[in-house]
Amino acid sequence: REDFIAKRVEPFFHGIALLLPLVTGIVLAVAGYMNPLKVLSGYCYLADYPYGCDSESQTSESSDVYKNDSNHCIRGGSAKLRGTVGSIVVTVFGFVIILSMISIFTKVRSTERRLQNYNGDVVGGNVNGLRHTRATAWRAIFYIGSFFLSFFPMVILQ
């Protein structure tokens, strides 16, 4: 079973983790939804261009891509809606990751405690036998932290 997971399931999930953001980013950039953020210069996200334009006020007469009166969007269109949906999706993934890490941590801790009962690793309250639990906890913290460091600024600034 572990070989199946290591050889079949893990590569699939790594592929999704690499390809989904890459393909989504390329498609959104080509479609003109990725534009510079006013709040974070140098960063691009789902935004209207120019900043603060009103995509709702565009009429069929102003559909020319290069035509821009001060209130019409050149690119992005309904990027606010897409950005909000994207932020909600990222937030949901964040909660899924947190719950998954908590689940993995509690499973490792319960397994390690059960093994201690059989091995007698805990003598006089010494908890040196919980090293896998501590390692798992730190990995979970780093995994959750790296996820939120990557996406949290964009979610907040959206």
Side-chain angles (χ1 to χ4, degrees), residues 55-112:
S55 61
E56 314 278 313
S57 68
Q58 290 186 2
T59 63
S60 59
E61 301 154 4
S62 63
S63 62
D64 185 7
V65 171
Y66 298 105
K67 183 178 182 182
N68 182 31
D69 98 26
S70 64
N71 202 27
H72 291 167
C73 296
I74 297 174
R75 292 189 313 255
S78 59
K80 279 186 183 176
L81 174 64
R82 286 181 175 83
T84 302
V85 170
S87 296
I88 290 170
V89 168
V90 167
T91 304
V92 167
F93 280 144
F95 283 119
V96 168
I97 288 173
I98 289 171
L99 293 175
S100 298
M101 293 297 112
I102 290 171
S103 173
I104 291 169
F105 170 77
T106 56
K107 180 68 175 174
V108 169
R109 183 180 64 187
S110 68
T111 302
E112 202 162 28

Side-chain angles (χ1 to χ4, degrees), residues 26-42:
I26 290 171
V27 167
L28 291 172
V30 168
Y33 289 106
M34 294 295 227
N35 293 302
L37 288 175
K38 183 177 182 182
V39 190
L40 281 175
S41 64

